[in-house]
Structures are given as structure tokens and as C-alpha cells.
Amino acid sequence: EIVMTQSPATLSVSPGESATLSCRASQNIDSNLAWYQQKPGQAPRLLIYGAFVRATGVPDRISGSKSGTEFTLTISSLQSEDFAVYYCQQYDDWPPLTFGGGTKVEIK
Amino acid sequence: QLQLEESGPGLVKPSETLSLTCTVSHGSINIDYYYWGWIRQPPGKGLEWIGSIYYSGSTYYNPSLKSRFTISADKPNNRFSLELTSVTAADTAVYYCARDGAGSYQGGWFDSWGQGTLVTVSS
């Protein structure tokens, strides 16, 4: 099973600043990674797939990158609607599909 | 726009069987190469993939969940279901159904989700 490790668990950021979230895979997953945003009481929302590709309607201040088995979600100029929990998910080798433990982005 | 909606009991007794249904609208579960999945989230915790069903009817499950789950499709009614036997308190969670948006045999990411349904296991 591929283990996805997200860090940090919580990120405190001021509105207007940038946030950098990390997700590490336990083995090579190429670019087979997705990112989701989840707000309280809501279902997850797809942000990024293929490590880099923004889903429909996702603003271009949200971007994905990778270096080896380390993946990064960058949110620039944080707005109020960006404060949420973010999950990564690998789909390179499954079953099982596996998610990271999540990073909560909170207002500083 | 594709919509998914979960339905089922909000409360189940320990050792009983839980059955949930996901009804799909503004889209079809019969479209080639799509997977339809179930994901759950215990209160205050992260996401756990339960399993997925391919358009062909093939099913794939999370090996760590010990074969208590069964996913099936009801194509004429455009819905798919999840059955979980011998439930315990550890199965208390919000259960989501979702579509795998990759549209290929490899599978991938979930691009459309239901709103989720909270299932509580308690006597």
C-alpha cells in the first residue's frame, strides 16, 4: 500500500499571504496525484489532478508541483474561502486508493 | 452537471448490516470507462477509500477493510450501492459516493461527490 504523508498538520497563514502544503508518497507515483479541499460540513472538492492540472473552476492562484515523490500545493494570496482542510490522494497503484492525513489551513 | 446523492439509515445497531445507495442524476453510470466509488470519513478524521465499481461491473475494495463491504450497481435506475456487514462503532462515519473522473481503466481522482450521509452505529 502506498502511504501518503502530509505536512504540516496545521498551517497558520494570514489572508493575502501564500501557503505551501506538502504531500510525500512512500514510493514513486509518477504524477498520479490529486488534491482536494474540504470545508466543514461539505464534501471534498477536487482542486488538482495529474499533480499539476487544475480542475474546472479552480483559480490559477492554486497550483501543484512535484519533485520526486514530494508534491506541493501552493495557494497564493490566500482568501477567506481558502481556509479549509486539504487532502492529497494517489491513484498510481491501487487498490487501495490512498489519501494523506490532511493539512488544515487556518487564519493566523 | 452531474449530481450524486447518498441515501440510507442514519442509525444502525452494532452487528447489523448497513445499506447505502447513491443515486446519480444528470449523468449515467453506464458510460464506458468510469468508476464509481465510496469513501468514508469518521468524525473529525481523514478520508478513507472503501471501494469502487467499474462501468463493466468489476469491483475493487480496500484490502484493509476485511471484505465486509460489497458494492453493486443498479444500472436501470442509475444508482449504485454499498453494503457493510457486521457494523461496529468504528464504522461510524460520513459516507460519500463519488465519480472517478479519469474516465479510463487506470482510474484516478474523484471529480464529483455526493453531499455525504452520516451513519452512526449505536445500540
Side-chain angles (χ1 to χ4, degrees):
Chain A
E1 171 177 328
I2 297 176
V3 177
M4 306 302 294
T5 303
Q6 290 188 244
S7 62
T10 303
L11 190 58
S12 298
V13 186
S14 299
E17 294 184 339
S18 293
T20 301
L21 290 66
S22 294
C23 173
R24 175 170 292 172
S26 61
Q27 64 189 66
N28 177 39
I29 60 169
D30 290 328
S31 297
N32 296 312
L33 183 104
W35 288 96
Y36 301 88
Q37 175 194 68
Q38 187 179 34
K39 297 179 181 179
Q42 296 185 17
R45 171 198 176 198
L46 176 69
L47 297 177
I48 299 280
Y49 62 92
F52 312 97
V53 183
R54 276 185 291 273
T56 303
V58 175
D60 58 9
R61 55 192 180 76
I62 294 177
S63 62
S65 61
K66 70 165 279 191
S67 176
T69 59
E70 185 91 21
F71 297 82
T72 300
L73 182 72
T74 302
I75 309 171
S76 60
S77 188
L78 271 156
Q79 301 183 8
S80 57
E81 61 263 32
D82 299 326
F83 293 97
V85 179
Y86 293 82
Y87 294 96
C88 60
Q89 175 230 324
Q90 71 81 22
Y91 50 91
D92 185 72
D93 185 13
W94 67 282
L97 294 167
T98 49
F99 291 88
T103 292
K104 180 180 181 180
V105 178
E106 65 176 24
I107 300 175
K108 186 174 182 180
Chain B
Q1 183 176 350
L2 186 71
Q3 293 183 348
L4 297 89
E5 183 174 7
E6 305 89 350
S7 58
L11 181 64
V12 184
K13 291 183 169 55
S15 79
E16 291 188 343
T17 295
L18 166 67
S19 294
L20 297 174
T21 297
C22 181
T23 301
V24 177
S25 55
H26 306 292
S28 172
I29 68 169
N30 296 308
I31 296 178
D32 289 357
Y33 309 121
Y34 280 95
Y35 290 89
W36 302 86
W38 288 95
I39 301 100
R40 70 179 180 178
Q41 185 172 38
K45 296 189 177 181
L47 301 167
E48 178 178 47
W49 175 73
I50 297 170
S52 295
I53 186 165
Y54 198 37
Y55 80 102
S56 63
S58 298
T59 51
Y60 303 86
Y61 299 100
N62 191 328
S64 69
L65 298 178
K66 297 183 180 179
S67 304
R68 293 190 298 123
F69 291 90
T70 302
I71 298 174
S72 59
D74 176 2
K75 291 186 176 182
N77 290 299
N78 211 35
R79 61 191 186 190
F80 60 105
S81 299
L82 175 71
E83 184 176 276
L84 172 59
T85 59
S86 304
V87 299
T88 70
D91 295 312
T92 293
V94 174
Y95 286 76
Y96 295 100
C97 60
R99 185 188 75 166
D100 180 321
S104 70
Y105 179 71
Q106 183 193 357
W109 55 92
F110 294 103
D111 65 345
S112 296
W113 295 66
Q115 81 283 1
T117 186
L118 175 62
V119 175
T120 302
V121 179
S122 174
S123 56

